[in-house]
Structures are given as structure tokens and as C-alpha cells.
């Protein structure tokens, strides 16, 4: 056997022995609370479809019509010949919706994050200040940069202030998730912005899990925290979660967007997303704007879940968002399996996604869930808890 492949197999075997081997689950149904995997019907609490828009017929029609009108692909990068009218229209609509001067679009949130931080902090004497619980894409973006990196305790403004005060860097970049994907809590954005202004630093905010859900009209976490658009803020958002489509954007000042367009490698050297996705995202933006009822229903479900899970031997992390982590520790895998046998799908989150002592069930709620769905999950968790302990 090829020796290098043998080493990989050994490592995979080790992961399997630790219960950490990741495997794909093939679904035979579209994204929805009702899922089917093989012969099993499942009530899913796994997706990030927070507003339940992935199945909205208006998005399906827009995607189909966009494909017929603009073809199946863009054919090139944005800067060659791939920047088509739907891309330009979507960027303008997003900028207007969010109140920023300009937007630039990407094929994924990962690519968008890889564009921002390494481009703003490109020199060895620059410095990056990152929350310890930031998403992997933000971590990788900082690693790609030549800048010196500092990681501050999660949400700890005092710790961050000390690091900033000790910095002599000309360019300083504060990087944070807005809603943390595994904990569901919201970053102290107002405090982070105050520090950014005080120490003349950029504030880069990844709002993948807040855009469409939080704030006035679903404008996101900045709106939720009372922060208006500002030239010192660079906002990233995704279009594949609450927006129900795919792709991502960065919103910022005219100067920042122009700079990214000319310097960001993950923008310059990748093919633009299919224009039909941009057409669908335009429709999604209109739906988000009119989805106050969906957001209200989602908030009701969050409150119902928190009430219904009282008395369990495990506790929810404090979260007011659709991400509700149940800290189940060593019981995580057995509890997830007990739920699966009852026809419920809640992802088991284990290291290295979370720290070694912080395994959990990540309950993800959607406006497409009903109150009956949430009560069914709560009942199953209470039953499974009695069986396991």
C-alpha cells in the first residue's frame, strides 16, 4: 500500500475509535423540517434555514426564470467577463437594504471572509484581534494574513482593550462573528465598535447567522445592536442561511469595496456565482424585508423550546437566537442516536468543532417549524434523558 495513504488510513481509524469520524448523510428530500434519509422520515432541527425560505415557491420561480434568462453559469471571474447585470443589481439592492455605500458578492461566506482580513491586514507589522470562538473561515483568513494575530477571550471587551492599548501597529483589525454559530450568542458589537473607534481599528463583522433574522426588517446584527453603517465597519453576510439561496456579500464603504475588488485574491481569482442565484437572492431580499411575521414566529419557538426543556439534566447555553445549543457532554452521541430512533434529527457537535469538554446538540430552529414540532422535540429529549441517565 502507498505509505502516505496508509498514514491517512491510520489517522482515520483513530478518529473512528474516538467517535469523531465525520460522515455524509444523504437526504432524499429538499431542505425542510421534514427530511427523509433512506427509509427513515425525520423531523430535522439541523439546517440554518432560519426563515424557512428555501422552499418558498417565489425563490424557485426566480431561480428557474433567472437560469432561462441568464444561463447556468457566469463563465468567468467578476473582473474578466463574469459580472453580469443580476450581480450588479443584487449588490446595489443589498447596499440599499443595509445602508452601506457598496456591496461586493462572493460564491460563499468562506470566500468572502478569506477576501477581507488578509487584504486589510496584509503587512507583517499589521495586527489582527480575533474572538476565540470565531468561525473557521475567520480563523483561516487570519492565518492567511502576514499580520500578527491576537485571540481575545470570547466576548471579553476588557481583554481586547488591553491588547489594543498595547499595540503600536498602524493597521489594526478587530474580527468577530456577530452570532456565534455553535453558541448562538451575539457579540457585544456596540462595545467592539467603541473600541475600534478609540484605537483607530477596522471592525470586521461576520453576520452569517444574523442577516435576515435579527434587526429591523431582518437587516441583521448591526441593526439589532443599534449600530448604523459606518466607514470603519466591514460587514459580511451569507445568502444561503436565512436568505435561503446561496452565496455571500461584503458591505462597506466605497473605498473598502474598491480596494477589495482590486486586491482580494478570493474575489479576483474565482468564477462569479451563477447569475440565476443572484436573481433568486434579489427575490429573497424582498421576502426578508416582509418577513416580520416569520421572525416573530421564530422568536415564539425559541421561547417555547427554552421553557419546554427546563428540568433536563443538561442545560441550554444562554442564546436568544435560532441556534440553541444543549450542552450534553459525554452523552452527546447516545442522545443524538436516541433522538434519531424517535425520528428526530439534531446534530451532535463534537471536537474539533468545539472544545474537548464542550460537546453538544446544536438545535437549530426555523420559522418553518411549528409549535407542535418543538414540543415533540422537547418530549423526546425528556424521554431520552431518562433512558440514558
Amino acid at each position: 500500500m502507498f505509505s502516505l495513504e496508509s498514514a491517512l488510513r491510520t489517522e482515520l481509524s483513530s478518529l473512528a475509535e474516538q467517535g469523531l469520524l465525520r460522515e455524509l448523510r444523504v437526504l432524499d428530500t429538499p431542505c425542510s423540517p421534514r427530511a427523509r434519509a433512506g427509509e427513515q422520515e425525520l423531523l430535522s432541527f439541523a439546517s440554518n434555514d432560519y426563515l424557512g425560505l428555501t422552499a418558498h415557491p417565489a425563490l424557485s420561480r426566480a431561480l428557474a426564470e433567472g437560469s432561462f434568462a441568464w444561463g447556468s453559469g457566469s463563465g468567468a471571474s467578476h473582473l474578466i467577463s463574469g459580472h453580469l447585470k443580476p450581480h450588479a443589481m443584487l449588490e446595489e439592492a443589498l447596499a440599499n437594504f443595509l445602508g452601506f455605500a457598496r456591496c461586493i458578492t462572493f460564491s460563499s461566506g468562506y470566500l468572502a471572509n478569506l477576501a477581507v482580513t488578509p487584504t486589510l491586514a496584509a503587512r507583517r507589522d499589521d495586527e489582527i484581534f480575533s474572538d476565540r470562538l470565531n468561525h473557521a473561515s475567520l480563523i483561516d483568513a487570519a492565518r492567511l494574513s502576514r499580520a500578527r494575530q491576537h485571540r481575545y477571550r470570547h466576548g471579553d471587551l476588557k481583554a481586547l482593550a488591553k491588547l489594543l492599548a498595547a499595540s503600536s501597529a498602524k493597521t489594526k483589525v478587530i474580527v468577530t462573528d456577530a452570532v456565534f454559530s455553535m453558541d448562538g450568542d451575539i457579540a457585544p458589537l456596540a462595545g467592539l465598535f467603541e473600541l475600534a473607534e478609540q484605537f483607530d481599528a477596522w471592525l470586521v463583522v461576520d453576520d452569517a447567522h444574523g442577516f435576515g433574522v435579527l434587526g429591523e426588517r431582518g437587516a441583521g446584527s448591526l441593526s439589532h445592536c443599534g449600530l448604523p453603517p459606518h466607514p470603519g465597519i466591514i460587514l459580511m453576510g451569507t445568502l444561503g442561511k436565512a436568505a435561503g439561496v446561496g452565496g455571500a456579500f461584503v458591505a462597506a464603504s466605497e473605498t473598502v469595496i474598491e480596494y477589495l475588488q482590486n486586491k482580494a485574491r478570493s474575489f479576483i481569482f474565482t468564477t462569479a456565482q451563477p447569475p440565476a442565484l443572484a436573481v433568486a437572492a434579489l427575490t429573497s431580499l424582498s421576502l426578508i424585508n416582509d418577513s416580520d411575521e416569520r421572525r416573530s414566529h421564530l422568536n415564539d419557538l425559541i421561547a417555547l423550546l427554552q421553557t419546554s426543556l427546563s428540568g433536563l439534566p443538561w442545560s441550554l447555553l444562554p442564546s436568544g437566537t435560532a441556534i440553541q445549543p444543549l450542552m450534553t457532554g459525554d452523552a452527546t452521541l447516545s442522545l443524538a442516536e436516541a433522538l434519531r430512533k424517535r425520528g428526530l434529527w439534531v446534530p451532535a457537535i463534537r471536537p474539533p468543532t468545539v472544545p474537548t469538554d464542550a460537546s453538544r446538540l446544536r438545535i437549530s430552529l426555523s420559522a418553518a417549524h411549528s409549535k407542535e414540532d418543538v414540543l415533540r422535540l422537547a418530549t423526546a429529549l425528556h424521554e431520552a434523558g431518562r433512558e440514558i441517565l
Side-chain angles (χ1 to χ4, degrees):
M1 181 183 293
F2 181 45
S3 61
L4 293 178
E5 186 175 75
S6 176
L8 297 183
R9 290 186 180 278
T10 299
E11 189 169 346
L12 287 171
S13 296
S14 176
L15 289 174
E17 290 172 3
Q18 298 172 65
L20 298 178
L21 190 66
R22 303 169 189 262
E23 296 179 339
L24 291 173
R25 175 176 290 179
V26 178
L27 295 183
D28 302 317
T29 48
C31 178
S32 165
R34 270 69 191 170
R36 186 174 68 252
E39 298 299 318
Q40 188 174 26
E41 301 288 338
L42 294 165
L43 174 59
S44 172
F45 292 88
S47 85
N48 298 320
D49 181 25
Y50 301 127
L51 293 181
L53 294 183
T54 59
H56 200 292
L59 293 188
S60 299
R61 285 194 298 269
L63 188 61
E65 291 168 3
S67 180
F68 279 115
W70 293 95
S72 57
S74 61
S77 67
H78 284 276
L79 291 173
I80 302 297
S81 64
H83 193 66
L84 306 180
K85 188 174 182 179
H87 298 126
M89 293 174 63
L90 175 60
E91 289 172 356
E92 182 178 1
L94 282 165
N96 290 336
F97 180 69
L98 295 165
F100 279 87
R102 278 186 64 184
C103 275
I104 189 172
T105 53
F106 294 82
S107 296
S108 73
Y110 218 112
L111 284 176
N113 279 335
L114 293 186
V116 176
T117 304
T119 306
L120 293 177
R123 296 176 295 271
R124 296 189 187 280
D125 56 353
D126 296 337
E127 296 191 19
I128 299 168
F129 304 83
S130 301
D131 189 293
R132 284 191 176 275
L133 295 188
N134 276 348
H135 187 264
S137 59
L138 293 175
I139 295 170
D140 288 352
R143 287 172 176 168
L144 280 175
S145 172
R146 297 176 182 177
R148 184 181 178 188
Q149 299 176 46
H150 305 274
R151 299 181 69 191
Y152 61 89
R153 290 188 299 273
H154 177 52
D156 191 333
L157 295 176
K158 291 183 179 179
L160 175 58
K162 289 181 180 179
L163 290 171
L164 289 165
S167 172
S168 59
K170 181 178 179 181
T171 299
K172 295 181 278 289
V173 183
I174 302 168
V175 183
T176 186
D177 276 301
V179 176
F180 289 86
S181 61
M182 290 299 119
D183 285 32
D185 58 331
I186 302 171
L189 293 177
L192 290 172
F193 179 64
E194 288 181 10
L195 290 177
E197 284 203 303
Q198 179 182 348
F199 292 100
D200 194 24
W202 294 107
L203 177 58
V204 176
V205 178
D206 178 337
D207 202 21
H209 298 273
F211 176 72
V213 186
L214 300 177
E216 186 177 356
R217 300 175 297 114
S221 298
L222 294 180
S223 172
H224 176 79
C225 293
L227 284 179
H230 186 276
I233 298 176
I234 296 96
L235 178 71
M236 193 286 286
T238 55
L239 300 168
K241 295 180 174 64
V245 186
F249 64 86
V250 173
S253 70
E254 179 83 28
T255 301
V256 167
I257 297 301
E258 191 74 17
Y259 193 76
L260 293 176
Q261 189 171 290
N262 281 275
K263 291 283 192 176
R265 293 171 65 84
S266 65
F267 175 79
I268 297 170
F269 298 108
T270 193
T271 301
Q273 70 174 165
L277 286 178
V279 173
L282 276 165
T283 299
S284 175
L285 195 57
S286 177
L287 293 173
I288 287 171
N289 186 68
D290 296 331
S291 286
D292 282 348
E293 187 173 336
R294 289 174 183 263
R295 285 184 283 272
S296 177
H297 175 61
L298 179 59
N299 287 330
D300 289 344
L301 295 180
I302 293 168
L304 177 62
L305 179 75
Q306 292 173 345
T307 301
S308 301
L309 295 190
S310 63
L312 278 177
W314 310 284
S315 59
L316 289 167
L317 287 180
S319 165
T321 71
I323 301 166
Q324 294 289 307
L326 186 64
M327 305 304 290
T328 46
D330 293 339
T332 298
L333 287 177
S334 55
L335 189 56
E337 178 62 16
L339 292 176
R340 187 194 63 79
K341 290 178 179 179
R342 290 170 166 81
L344 293 147
W345 181 12
V346 183
I349 307 299
R350 299 158 293 157
T353 304
V354 293
T356 53
D357 58 348
S359 293
R360 67 197 65 184
L361 294 181
R362 182 185 185 271
I363 302 169
S364 184
L365 296 173
S366 168
H369 286 120
S370 67
K371 291 183 178 181
E372 289 73 22
D373 292 337
V374 171
L375 292 174
R376 178 182 166 189
L377 171 63
T379 298
L381 280 168
H382 281 283
E383 291 176 353
R386 289 191 292 269
E387 290 177 5
I388 291 171
L389 297 180

